[in-house]
Amino acid sequence: MTIGTKVTALGERIDGVRGWRAHVLLLLVFAILAAPFVADQATENTELSILDEWQYLERVYQVSQGDPFMRNGEVLTEWAQDARTCRGIVRLGPPAPPPCREGEPFVVANSAAADPPFYFVATGSVAGVLLKTGLVESPLIAGRLVGTLWAALSMWSLFLLARAMGAGGVASFIVASCVLMVPGLLQQYTFITPHALDIPVGAFAALATLRFLRREWPWWTLVLAGLAVAGVKGSNLVIVVGLGVTLLSVIVWPKVFDRADRLRALMGGAVLAGSTLGFTVLWMLVIKLTQVADPPPPGSYMVESLPLSRLLLDTVSLLGPYGEEELAIASVWMMFLMAGSALAVWSGLAREQAPFVRQLGPGYLLGAALGAVVLDLMVYLTTDQYIGIHFRYGLAIWPLGLAFAALILRTRTSQVIAVLALIAYASTPYVLGMDSIIK
């Protein structure tokens, strides 16, 4: 039996009612695959990531020491100051020679306090076990190594979504491996960041919506999806926008769906959007009621109005390589493959797909474009800032794009080409001497 046959058989078992053992086995396989990738990068990168790891590290460290609560406005502790100075931050400042602490410490409010607590409590709790058992001595490394679990969860959720959309077992396994082979995705698990949960959140929201439309899952799974979106990171709202477009497509798609399907799509949209908005507002109220001070906005992003030209550019930020610095050239093939695959399915150029999959095409493409603008508006209306759309803000909608790519990988030749391309992509930072951090 070939590897491809084994993967396909495992996928078929997972699709079955008795597949819970296969789920556990698949998660274990993915964790074993992810462990060396995460461990290598977690220990190799001695400096902190420029993408707010300093703040996230402090939050995880507090939890690992038994303090799960942080209030908005709390300043970074001396421990965090030492971590920043002694390790330095990639592209921002090199490590200081010992003794690291020199001069007055920075008085900076921890921006991570405004983020929902789930990632930090979960990561900090596991990191605390690693520290207390003596398996790991460094709090930073302990927190980063927990990324192995999040990488495995991401691979598993991608595999399940691709299978639900009709992709074969081998193709689903290939797109799941993107978590480890694409530098921009891998960095979410080798550094401390709540974006490590964006792919599982987006995949679950898409899977819940798809299964709900097919009458396979109940309505309350959409409530759980809304809770997951609001409970991890505000930028995950982009997947709700995409799924909203999908549900609207079901309602208006001509001569395909009956009245019951359209009413179900309308109900699903109301439940998903309502739960996401409700949980988001609830968390904002918690922040407001518990904060110890009103922290100043980070950086110099304050604007009097939103720049229209930047908004237009942001509409393509999650669909193409615009704005991704050194790795832009290497990212062209994958980002265009996702968008092209979604367009092929949407337009009907690809083979007939499973029910409701074709409607996910406009959900991904229009959702990524409109979702970027929605994020800009959300930040501006709540903080009077324009920050711009970064690669990681679209991670929650990428599971749809990767699943569409899996649908196109139907032949053995296309699958071999995809594997070779992934290997080339994974080696790009090493070949070109990059630090692999996509800002």
Side-chain angles (χ1 to χ4, degrees):
M1 182 180 292
T2 65
I3 294 178
T5 304
K6 291 180 180 178
V7 171
T8 300
L10 182 59
E12 291 172 351
R13 288 185 60 198
I14 286 176
D15 292 337
V17 177
R18 296 175 296 175
W20 68 268
R21 292 184 182 85
H23 282 287
V24 174
L25 175 61
L26 191 62
L27 268 170
L28 179 61
V29 169
F30 284 145
I32 293 172
L33 291 175
F37 285 85
V38 174
D40 174 66
Q41 289 297 298
T43 54
E44 180 71 19
N45 294 308
T46 56
E47 295 174 303
L48 301 178
S49 168
I50 194 174
L51 304 180
D52 302 325
E53 190 179 22
W54 180 28
Q55 292 90 331
Y56 299 147
L57 168 61
E58 161 79 342
R59 184 78 177 88
V60 167
Y61 175 72
Q62 282 190 328
V63 174
S64 71
Q65 300 304 302
D67 182 11
F69 302 105
M70 175 176 278
R71 294 171 177 82
N72 200 30
E74 287 188 19
V75 298
L76 290 160
T77 64
E78 289 185 0
W79 182 89
Q81 302 284 351
D82 289 347
R84 179 191 190 279
T85 309
C86 295
R87 287 189 172 272
I89 298 178
V90 174
R91 302 183 190 172
L92 195 60
C100 302
R101 187 182 301 181
E102 295 179 357
E104 294 296 323
F106 298 98
V107 180
V108 180
N110 193 337
S111 60
D115 285 326
F118 179 79
Y119 166 81
F120 301 104
V121 172
T123 302
S125 298
V126 179
V129 173
L130 295 177
L131 293 170
K132 289 179 175 60
T133 56
L135 295 174
V136 181
E137 294 183 356
S138 166
L140 172 66
I141 300 302
R144 286 179 174 180
L145 289 179
V146 181
T148 300
L149 302 179
W150 307 137
L153 185 63
S154 298
M155 297 174 75
W156 177 67
S157 63
L158 281 173
F159 184 90
L160 294 184
L161 178 61
R163 291 291 290 166
M165 288 173 59
V170 174
S172 300
F173 195 89
I174 290 173
V175 298
S177 68
C178 287
V179 165
L180 306 178
M181 305 298 285
V182 176
L185 299 184
L186 179 61
Q187 72 181 28
Q188 313 307 321
Y189 314 101
T190 59
F191 296 108
I192 296 176
T193 170
H195 289 290
L197 290 178
D198 288 359
I199 284 180
V201 165
F204 173 69
L207 190 60
T209 301
L210 186 60
R211 297 287 194 187
F212 173 78
L213 288 172
R214 293 175 179 171
R215 292 171 170 78
E216 297 171 349
W217 285 6
W219 63 270
W220 53 262
T221 57
L222 296 177
V223 177
L224 294 180
L227 176 60
V229 169
V232 171
K233 193 72 176 173
S235 58
N236 289 334
L237 184 64
V238 66
I239 184 59
V240 177
V241 176
L243 295 174
V245 173
T246 296
L247 293 166
L248 181 62
S249 298
V250 173
I251 295 172
V252 302
W253 205 277
K255 300 179 182 179
V256 173
F257 303 105
D258 57 23
R259 185 171 182 270
D261 287 331
R262 294 178 180 181
L263 287 176
R264 190 169 182 84
L266 181 62
M267 172 189 170
V271 172
L272 179 61
S275 59
T276 302
L277 179 61
F279 289 128
T280 300
V281 171
L282 178 61
W283 174 242
M284 292 175 67
L285 288 174
V286 170
I287 292 175
K288 192 66 177 177
L289 293 174
T290 60
Q291 70 179 17
V292 297
D294 191 8
S300 55
Y301 302 110
M302 301 295 293
V303 293
E304 295 183 0
S305 62
L306 285 175
L308 180 59
S309 60
R310 300 295 300 178
L311 287 180
L312 292 175
L313 287 174
D314 282 344
T315 61
V316 300
S317 293
L318 305 181
L319 293 170
Y322 161 75
E324 300 308 337
E325 298 184 354
E326 293 94 336
L327 286 178
I329 295 176
S331 68
V332 167
W333 74 269
M334 193 187 75
M335 299 184 81
F336 284 180
L337 175 62
M338 292 193 300
S341 301
L343 184 60
V345 173
W346 180 10
S347 64
L349 294 177
R351 63 183 174 88
E352 188 68 22
Q353 303 299 336
F356 299 103
V357 169
R358 192 173 175 185
Q359 289 69 37
L360 288 169
Y364 172 67
L365 294 168
L366 299 180
L370 297 176
V373 177
V374 169
L375 293 180
D376 282 334
L377 291 173
M378 182 177 68
V379 172
Y380 175 72
L381 293 175
T382 55
T383 65
D384 293 323
Q385 298 179 86
Y386 169 76
I387 298 177
I389 299 301
H390 296 260
F391 171 93
R392 62 197 188 279
Y393 297 166
L395 288 169
I397 203 168
W398 270 39
L400 278 178
L402 289 169
F404 276 120
L407 291 176
I408 304 300
L409 300 178
R410 294 161 46 194
T411 66
R412 186 61 54 86
T413 300
S414 64
Q415 292 166 2
V416 171
I417 292 174
V419 170
L420 293 176
L422 279 174
I423 294 174
Y425 197 176
S427 63
T428 299
Y430 302 96
V431 173
L432 299 182
M434 301 177 182
D435 58 30
S436 79
I437 295 180
I438 295 182
K439 182 180 178 182

mmCIF file of all heavy atoms in Angstrom, residues 70-75 109-111 113-114 283-296 382:
data_model
loop_
_atom_site.group_PDB
_atom_site.id
_atom_site.type_symbol
_atom_site.label_atom_id
_atom_site.label_comp_id
_atom_site.label_asym_id
_atom_site.label_seq_id
_atom_site.Cartn_x
_atom_site.Cartn_y
_atom_site.Cartn_z
ATOM 1 N N MET A 70 -4.853 39.788 33.095
ATOM 2 C CA MET A 70 -4.155 41.032 32.797
ATOM 3 C C MET A 70 -5.188 42.077 32.413
ATOM 4 O O MET A 70 -6.109 41.798 31.654
ATOM 5 C CB MET A 70 -3.139 40.845 31.663
ATOM 6 C CG MET A 70 -2.482 42.157 31.230
ATOM 7 S SD MET A 70 -1.186 41.945 29.981
ATOM 8 C CE MET A 70 0.184 41.488 31.031
ATOM 9 N N ARG A 71 -5.026 43.274 32.939
ATOM 10 C CA ARG A 71 -5.978 44.344 32.669
ATOM 11 C C ARG A 71 -5.378 45.344 31.693
ATOM 12 O O ARG A 71 -4.193 45.644 31.755
ATOM 13 C CB ARG A 71 -6.394 45.025 33.975
ATOM 14 C CG ARG A 71 -7.183 44.104 34.896
ATOM 15 C CD ARG A 71 -7.389 44.715 36.274
ATOM 16 N NE ARG A 71 -8.200 43.853 37.127
ATOM 17 C CZ ARG A 71 -7.736 42.819 37.802
ATOM 18 N NH1 ARG A 71 -6.454 42.516 37.725
ATOM 19 N NH2 ARG A 71 -8.529 42.079 38.539
ATOM 20 N N ASN A 72 -6.225 45.871 30.849
ATOM 21 C CA ASN A 72 -5.774 46.842 29.868
ATOM 22 C C ASN A 72 -5.174 48.062 30.569
ATOM 23 O O ASN A 72 -5.749 48.593 31.517
ATOM 24 C CB ASN A 72 -6.962 47.280 28.994
ATOM 25 C CG ASN A 72 -6.501 47.875 27.691
ATOM 26 O OD1 ASN A 72 -5.459 47.513 27.164
ATOM 27 N ND2 ASN A 72 -7.283 48.791 27.147
ATOM 28 N N GLY A 73 -4.021 48.467 30.096
ATOM 29 C CA GLY A 73 -3.331 49.607 30.698
ATOM 30 C C GLY A 73 -2.160 49.215 31.574
ATOM 31 O O GLY A 73 -1.355 50.074 31.956
ATOM 32 N N GLU A 74 -2.031 47.929 31.906
ATOM 33 C CA GLU A 74 -0.893 47.484 32.702
ATOM 34 C C GLU A 74 0.398 47.626 31.896
ATOM 35 O O GLU A 74 0.447 47.286 30.714
ATOM 36 C CB GLU A 74 -1.068 46.023 33.122
ATOM 37 C CG GLU A 74 -2.114 45.808 34.188
ATOM 38 C CD GLU A 74 -2.122 44.375 34.705
ATOM 39 O OE1 GLU A 74 -1.108 43.676 34.503
ATOM 40 O OE2 GLU A 74 -3.133 43.963 35.291
ATOM 41 N N VAL A 75 1.435 48.110 32.544
ATOM 42 C CA VAL A 75 2.708 48.312 31.850
ATOM 43 C C VAL A 75 3.525 47.028 31.896
ATOM 44 O O VAL A 75 3.334 46.176 32.765
ATOM 45 C CB VAL A 75 3.508 49.470 32.473
ATOM 46 C CG1 VAL A 75 2.738 50.782 32.346
ATOM 47 C CG2 VAL A 75 3.839 49.179 33.927
ATOM 48 N N ALA A 109 2.604 50.358 28.000
ATOM 49 C CA ALA A 109 1.452 49.510 28.316
ATOM 50 C C ALA A 109 1.464 48.286 27.414
ATOM 51 O O ALA A 109 1.816 48.375 26.236
ATOM 52 C CB ALA A 109 0.155 50.298 28.128
ATOM 53 N N ASN A 110 1.109 47.152 27.980
ATOM 54 C CA ASN A 110 1.113 45.913 27.213
ATOM 55 C C ASN A 110 -0.143 45.845 26.338
ATOM 56 O O ASN A 110 -1.257 45.660 26.835
ATOM 57 C CB ASN A 110 1.155 44.699 28.147
ATOM 58 C CG ASN A 110 1.481 43.423 27.401
ATOM 59 O OD1 ASN A 110 1.276 43.314 26.202
ATOM 60 N ND2 ASN A 110 1.990 42.439 28.121
ATOM 61 N N SER A 111 0.036 45.997 25.041
ATOM 62 C CA SER A 111 -1.100 45.986 24.118
ATOM 63 C C SER A 111 -1.786 44.630 24.052
ATOM 64 O O SER A 111 -2.948 44.530 23.636
ATOM 65 C CB SER A 111 -0.640 46.393 22.716
ATOM 66 O OG SER A 111 0.353 45.503 22.228
ATOM 67 N N ALA A 113 -2.899 43.026 26.437
ATOM 68 C CA ALA A 113 -3.960 42.954 27.433
ATOM 69 C C ALA A 113 -5.338 43.173 26.811
ATOM 70 O O ALA A 113 -6.352 42.746 27.367
ATOM 71 C CB ALA A 113 -3.716 43.995 28.523
ATOM 72 N N ALA A 114 -5.387 43.833 25.662
ATOM 73 C CA ALA A 114 -6.666 44.077 25.002
ATOM 74 C C ALA A 114 -7.131 42.898 24.165
ATOM 75 O O ALA A 114 -8.279 42.867 23.712
ATOM 76 C CB ALA A 114 -6.565 45.329 24.127
ATOM 77 N N TRP A 283 -16.647 41.327 24.971
ATOM 78 C CA TRP A 283 -15.243 41.406 25.357
ATOM 79 C C TRP A 283 -14.786 42.862 25.462
ATOM 80 O O TRP A 283 -14.016 43.215 26.363
ATOM 81 C CB TRP A 283 -14.375 40.643 24.363
ATOM 82 C CG TRP A 283 -12.908 40.811 24.626
ATOM 83 C CD1 TRP A 283 -11.968 41.363 23.821
ATOM 84 C CD2 TRP A 283 -12.208 40.444 25.828
ATOM 85 N NE1 TRP A 283 -10.741 41.361 24.420
ATOM 86 C CE2 TRP A 283 -10.851 40.800 25.661
ATOM 87 C CE3 TRP A 283 -12.608 39.843 27.020
ATOM 88 C CZ2 TRP A 283 -9.897 40.574 26.636
ATOM 89 C CZ3 TRP A 283 -11.640 39.625 28.005
ATOM 90 C CH2 TRP A 283 -10.306 39.996 27.800
ATOM 91 N N MET A 284 -15.270 43.724 24.564
ATOM 92 C CA MET A 284 -14.916 45.145 24.637
ATOM 93 C C MET A 284 -15.422 45.764 25.926
ATOM 94 O O MET A 284 -14.746 46.613 26.531
ATOM 95 C CB MET A 284 -15.477 45.876 23.420
ATOM 96 C CG MET A 284 -14.820 45.479 22.105
ATOM 97 S SD MET A 284 -15.592 46.237 20.648
ATOM 98 C CE MET A 284 -15.164 47.961 20.916
ATOM 99 N N LEU A 285 -16.592 45.342 26.382
ATOM 100 C CA LEU A 285 -17.119 45.840 27.653
ATOM 101 C C LEU A 285 -16.266 45.356 28.831
ATOM 102 O O LEU A 285 -16.007 46.121 29.773
ATOM 103 C CB LEU A 285 -18.565 45.380 27.837
ATOM 104 C CG LEU A 285 -19.614 46.053 26.940
ATOM 105 C CD1 LEU A 285 -20.977 45.397 27.138
ATOM 106 C CD2 LEU A 285 -19.683 47.547 27.232
ATOM 107 N N VAL A 286 -15.837 44.099 28.766
ATOM 108 C CA VAL A 286 -14.975 43.570 29.825
ATOM 109 C C VAL A 286 -13.679 44.366 29.901
ATOM 110 O O VAL A 286 -13.208 44.724 30.994
ATOM 111 C CB VAL A 286 -14.679 42.070 29.580
ATOM 112 C CG1 VAL A 286 -13.602 41.571 30.538
ATOM 113 C CG2 VAL A 286 -15.943 41.252 29.738
ATOM 114 N N ILE A 287 -13.092 44.661 28.753
ATOM 115 C CA ILE A 287 -11.859 45.451 28.718
ATOM 116 C C ILE A 287 -12.088 46.814 29.361
ATOM 117 O O ILE A 287 -11.289 47.281 30.185
ATOM 118 C CB ILE A 287 -11.374 45.633 27.270
ATOM 119 C CG1 ILE A 287 -10.917 44.289 26.686
ATOM 120 C CG2 ILE A 287 -10.220 46.637 27.212
ATOM 121 C CD1 ILE A 287 -10.541 44.384 25.225
ATOM 122 N N LYS A 288 -13.191 47.446 28.976
ATOM 123 C CA LYS A 288 -13.469 48.799 29.470
ATOM 124 C C LYS A 288 -13.707 48.809 30.973
ATOM 125 O O LYS A 288 -13.243 49.705 31.693
ATOM 126 C CB LYS A 288 -14.696 49.359 28.744
ATOM 127 C CG LYS A 288 -14.912 50.839 28.953
ATOM 128 C CD LYS A 288 -13.797 51.651 28.317
ATOM 129 C CE LYS A 288 -14.067 53.135 28.463
ATOM 130 N NZ LYS A 288 -12.942 53.957 27.899
ATOM 131 N N LEU A 289 -14.408 47.812 31.483
ATOM 132 C CA LEU A 289 -14.777 47.790 32.893
ATOM 133 C C LEU A 289 -13.613 47.380 33.797
ATOM 134 O O LEU A 289 -13.611 47.709 34.992
ATOM 135 C CB LEU A 289 -15.957 46.836 33.115
ATOM 136 C CG LEU A 289 -17.295 47.269 32.490
ATOM 137 C CD1 LEU A 289 -18.344 46.176 32.654
ATOM 138 C CD2 LEU A 289 -17.778 48.576 33.120
ATOM 139 N N THR A 290 -12.637 46.670 33.255
ATOM 140 C CA THR A 290 -11.554 46.154 34.090
ATOM 141 C C THR A 290 -10.228 46.879 33.884
ATOM 142 O O THR A 290 -9.273 46.608 34.614
ATOM 143 C CB THR A 290 -11.335 44.653 33.824
ATOM 144 O OG1 THR A 290 -10.999 44.454 32.438
ATOM 145 C CG2 THR A 290 -12.578 43.860 34.169
ATOM 146 N N GLN A 291 -10.139 47.772 32.911
ATOM 147 C CA GLN A 291 -8.842 48.385 32.628
ATOM 148 C C GLN A 291 -8.400 49.290 33.768
ATOM 149 O O GLN A 291 -9.217 49.922 34.457
ATOM 150 C CB GLN A 291 -8.884 49.164 31.319
ATOM 151 C CG GLN A 291 -9.696 50.443 31.326
ATOM 152 C CD GLN A 291 -9.624 51.135 29.967
ATOM 153 O OE1 GLN A 291 -9.260 50.554 28.962
ATOM 154 N NE2 GLN A 291 -9.971 52.410 29.959
ATOM 155 N N VAL A 292 -7.095 49.335 33.984
ATOM 156 C CA VAL A 292 -6.523 50.140 35.060
ATOM 157 C C VAL A 292 -6.093 51.516 34.565
ATOM 158 O O VAL A 292 -5.851 52.417 35.363
ATOM 159 C CB VAL A 292 -5.313 49.415 35.689
ATOM 160 C CG1 VAL A 292 -5.760 48.114 36.333
ATOM 161 C CG2 VAL A 292 -4.234 49.143 34.639
ATOM 162 N N ALA A 293 -5.970 51.667 33.272
ATOM 163 C CA ALA A 293 -5.614 52.956 32.685
ATOM 164 C C ALA A 293 -5.997 52.923 31.220
ATOM 165 O O ALA A 293 -6.199 51.856 30.631
ATOM 166 C CB ALA A 293 -4.114 53.243 32.839
ATOM 167 N N ASP A 294 -6.114 54.102 30.630
ATOM 168 C CA ASP A 294 -6.429 54.196 29.209
ATOM 169 C C ASP A 294 -5.114 54.317 28.450
ATOM 170 O O ASP A 294 -4.515 55.392 28.408
ATOM 171 C CB ASP A 294 -7.307 55.418 28.946
ATOM 172 C CG ASP A 294 -7.893 55.417 27.548
ATOM 173 O OD1 ASP A 294 -7.738 54.394 26.865
ATOM 174 O OD2 ASP A 294 -8.491 56.437 27.138
ATOM 175 N N PRO A 295 -4.622 53.211 27.884
ATOM 176 C CA PRO A 295 -3.293 53.240 27.272
ATOM 177 C C PRO A 295 -3.278 54.076 25.997
ATOM 178 O O PRO A 295 -4.262 54.099 25.248
ATOM 179 C CB PRO A 295 -3.012 51.767 26.959
ATOM 180 C CG PRO A 295 -4.359 51.165 26.794
ATOM 181 C CD PRO A 295 -5.265 51.898 27.749
ATOM 182 N N PRO A 296 -2.174 54.752 25.747
ATOM 183 C CA PRO A 296 -2.068 55.504 24.497
ATOM 184 C C PRO A 296 -1.979 54.545 23.318
ATOM 185 O O PRO A 296 -1.501 53.421 23.462
ATOM 186 C CB PRO A 296 -0.768 56.299 24.663
ATOM 187 C CG PRO A 296 0.040 55.482 25.620
ATOM 188 C CD PRO A 296 -0.949 54.852 26.552
ATOM 189 N N THR A 382 -12.923 52.669 16.064
ATOM 190 C CA THR A 382 -12.728 52.424 17.496
ATOM 191 C C THR A 382 -11.496 53.122 18.073
ATOM 192 O O THR A 382 -11.442 53.359 19.284
ATOM 193 C CB THR A 382 -12.608 50.913 17.771
ATOM 194 O OG1 THR A 382 -11.555 50.364 16.967
ATOM 195 C CG2 THR A 382 -13.918 50.209 17.438
#
